[in-house]
Amino acid sequence: MEMVTWASVIILGPGSIAIFIWFLCDLRKIFRRDE
Amino acid sequence: MSLNAPLAVLNHAQLDGLDYAVIGLYLAAMLALGAVLSTKIRAFKDYFLAGGALTTPLLICTLVSSYYGLDVTFGTSESGFYYGVAAWFWYSLPYYFFIAFAALVIAPRLKRYGDAMTISDILEQHYGMPTRVVGAVACFVYSAPIVSMAALMTLMEFVGIPTGWGLLATIGVCAAYTTMGGLWADAISDTLQFVLMCVSLAIAIPMAVEWVGGWGFVEQMSATAGGATADHFAHHGGLSGWMLAAWALTGLTVLVEPAFYQRVFAASDAKAVQRALLTGILLWASYDWGVTLIGIIARAAVEQGMLPADLEGKSALLTICMEMLPTGLRGLMIGGILSAAMSTIDSYSLLASGNVVYDIYRPLLDPKASDRRLLVLTRLGVFSVMLAAALISLLFVRMRDTWQFMASVMTAVVLVPVLGALFGRPRRAAGLWGAVGGFVGLITFYGLLFTLGEFDLEEETHVWRVGGAELWQDFSVLLALPVSIAGFVAGNLLGKEETR
């Protein structure tokens, strides 16, 4: 149970931040497509 | 207890200046975002489907945060509080299987509907206009963010923010950026909301474990044989097989989830949706586990005398977070919970407005409506839906029952016709008969339950005891779906016109 909980914390913390950074990198592509 | 009756406001639940600054900064960022993104909107498709250009990371953020609102956050921790890990194994886990099925099997099939924007478009293509309208009404009932509004009021009352002003500010900000930027604003604001809700929970989980005195609570709760928490760490939680089946079947709503269909049609490509949903499962599973665990910890704290014995399950998450978090982090947590609410309210208000304008008004009243007219009406609709949902939420007494009714309408009416259309070639009558059959089955069940059944005070739900059997309010979908299937089969056998 402890392991599952720590895995959840890693996915929710660093994991969600990594996805957000991925989104920020992608955002430039989205806006460039419009120009 | 009334859903909107004020909860006891605890002294430690008061927010201070720094907490309000964090929340204010977040609301200001949302407004600025809407203003910037409004420049991208030129046509109805830009507004409703973000021009069909959503990429994988954007889809992950918007799907995860939109689908998980306060109903899930409070509801799952409430179930964890009362039933333990069964809430995760039997309520949450089945959802992931249905989501994987939607990603791997349904999403690729939706590619053949080139110009479709909503579920109703699919229904009309196969079964004609009447089924479209019935489906749109069911989608509207499901999408109107009534439960989220009610939960938002509970949140405001709990932290001591005046409900009227707090709700007005939240709806005002939410409506402003969604009205300006449509799905673009919705999806991009969802990314910030996604990070806030995930990170705040990631911080809260280890702090909650430490606050309750480490992992010893697992043994203490399990050790009380015959006690109320003895089954808290058994996957079944001591519940009957029928109840567990009813919980598991609520996951069927995923297969006709309007937000899922909208985002599939809004995706830049089909693979992007699949990647987003499969990654989302990891995030949803972690989020569910986190809120379930905090619910269990709240129960352990009650057993240990750290929290009041009369603590209600629905307040478990908020109480524990307010109790253990320092100032600043409390603001972050409330911001995270507010994010979960706003990301759901904006997405579903947009969907509900689209249901009325695009799915009902346009085909029935104004088939030649210009793109610009649809755009203006949908924008007006977003604000109206939010306002109406807030008012209607005052009429409902219990959050779980309201959500159950809305999800039951959607599943009973739309599931069978949509799956029939995606996986077969049914006759045109099958769709309408299946939809109407499901609705009649559901209303009959509720009618019999409320007239012949009684309210069980211990289980806090309506139960109809007939013969030796007990029919709970939770069984609504379980009993309405067979009627929908029967209607569908009868329509397919007796209907004359072939599907298009």
Side-chain angles (χ1 to χ4, degrees), chain B residues 17-311:
Chain B
L18 183 61
D19 295 320
Y20 278 115
V22 173
I23 297 169
L25 196 69
Y26 159 72
L27 292 178
M30 293 295 105
L31 274 179
L33 195 71
V36 171
L37 289 166
S38 63
T39 58
K40 282 179 78 75
I41 310 298
R42 293 180 191 95
F44 181 75
K45 194 175 178 184
D46 293 333
Y47 186 74
F48 195 68
L49 293 183
L54 296 189
T55 56
T56 306
L58 201 48
L59 284 164
I60 295 173
C61 298
T62 185
L63 279 164
V64 170
S65 61
S66 297
Y67 197 47
Y68 273 25
L70 288 190
D71 42 344
V72 175
T73 308
F74 292 168
T76 310
S77 67
E78 180 184 37
S79 301
F81 182 87
Y82 290 119
Y83 308 110
V85 294
W88 192 86
F89 280 101
W90 287 94
Y91 193 78
S92 306
L93 187 60
Y95 269 91
Y96 315 140
F97 288 105
F98 289 122
I99 293 169
F101 181 77
L104 299 172
V105 182
I106 293 183
R109 283 173 187 261
L110 294 178
K111 271 167 56 181
R112 58 171 116 132
Y113 301 94
D115 293 328
M117 292 202 208
T118 61
I119 289 181
S120 299
D121 280 339
I122 298 173
L123 290 175
E124 185 183 356
Q125 206 163 318
H126 287 268
Y127 308 115
M129 184 65 74
T131 315
R132 175 195 187 96
V133 174
V134 174
V137 171
C139 286
F140 177 79
V141 169
Y142 177 81
S143 301
I146 295 166
V147 181
S148 294
M149 288 292 181
L152 197 60
M153 286 183 211
T154 307
L155 173 70
M156 304 280 177
E157 285 160 6
F158 191 89
V159 296
I161 297 172
T163 311
W165 291 111
L167 205 61
L168 208 62
T170 314
I171 292 179
V173 172
C174 227
Y177 71 72
T178 313
T179 303
M180 285 189 280
L183 188 61
W184 270 121
D186 176 8
I188 293 184
S189 64
D190 281 352
T191 61
L192 291 174
Q193 290 157 349
F194 160 79
V195 173
L196 205 52
M197 65 189 258
C198 290
V199 169
S200 59
L201 188 62
I203 293 170
I205 296 169
M207 289 184 82
V209 174
E210 198 185 319
W211 175 78
V212 82
W215 288 98
F217 73 91
V218 178
E219 268 183 43
Q220 283 170 20
M221 291 175 87
S222 309
T224 52
T229 60
D231 288 322
H232 262 52
F233 295 96
H235 74 87
H236 52 75
L239 293 162
S240 72
W242 283 107
M243 182 57 93
L244 295 176
W247 274 16
L249 279 183
T250 58
L252 280 171
T253 50
V254 167
L255 305 182
V256 283
E257 169 59 50
F260 159 68
Y261 282 78
Q262 184 194 30
R263 279 149 180 81
V264 170
F265 296 134
S268 55
D269 63 277
K271 289 276 174 215
V273 170
Q274 284 185 328
R275 281 193 295 264
L277 284 169
L278 296 176
T279 311
I281 289 175
L282 270 180
L283 289 148
W284 279 311
S286 304
Y287 193 86
D288 284 327
W289 181 254
V291 291
T292 305
L293 187 69
I294 290 181
I296 297 173
I297 288 173
R299 184 61 179 267
V302 169
E303 302 291 318
Q304 292 173 24
M306 294 167 72
L307 289 177
D310 60 352
L311 178 71

Side-chain angles (χ1 to χ4, degrees), chain B residues 4 192 219 254 279 344 354 404 414 459 471:
Chain B
N4 298 310
L192 291 174
E219 268 183 43
V254 167
T279 311
T344 305
Q404 207 171 49
V414 180
E459 300 296 342
L471 297 177

